[in-house]
Amino acid sequence: TLYRRMRAKDMAKAVTLYRRAAELGASDAQYRLGQLYEGEEGGGVATDLAAAAAWYERAAKQGDDDAKKALARLRGEAESSES
């Protein structure tokens, strides 16, 4: 539908802007990219848990508590799946 195409276009633009801000060091954008790569529905990027962890880690190193929690959760899930 038209709505879905417009939403996809808007999300692609949002991802571009988040990435630009994240690369400039904005921890909130780094955290948001982590969420999107983790597979948030309608995120505009393919699920990539390694990329999610990398973005969470960058944000966590800047003191972002939500990113620290998300990173710990992701690492815990990875350890559980390896057992």
Side-chain angles (χ1 to χ4, degrees), residues 14-34 37 54-56 58-59 62:
V15 169
T16 298
L17 295 174
Y18 281 130
R19 184 169 286 115
R20 192 174 303 156
E23 289 170 353
L24 291 171
S27 64
D28 55 341
Q30 293 165 346
Y31 173 71
R32 184 68 179 122
L33 279 174
Y37 277 109
W55 284 115
Y56 285 146
R58 288 176 73 171
Q62 294 189 70

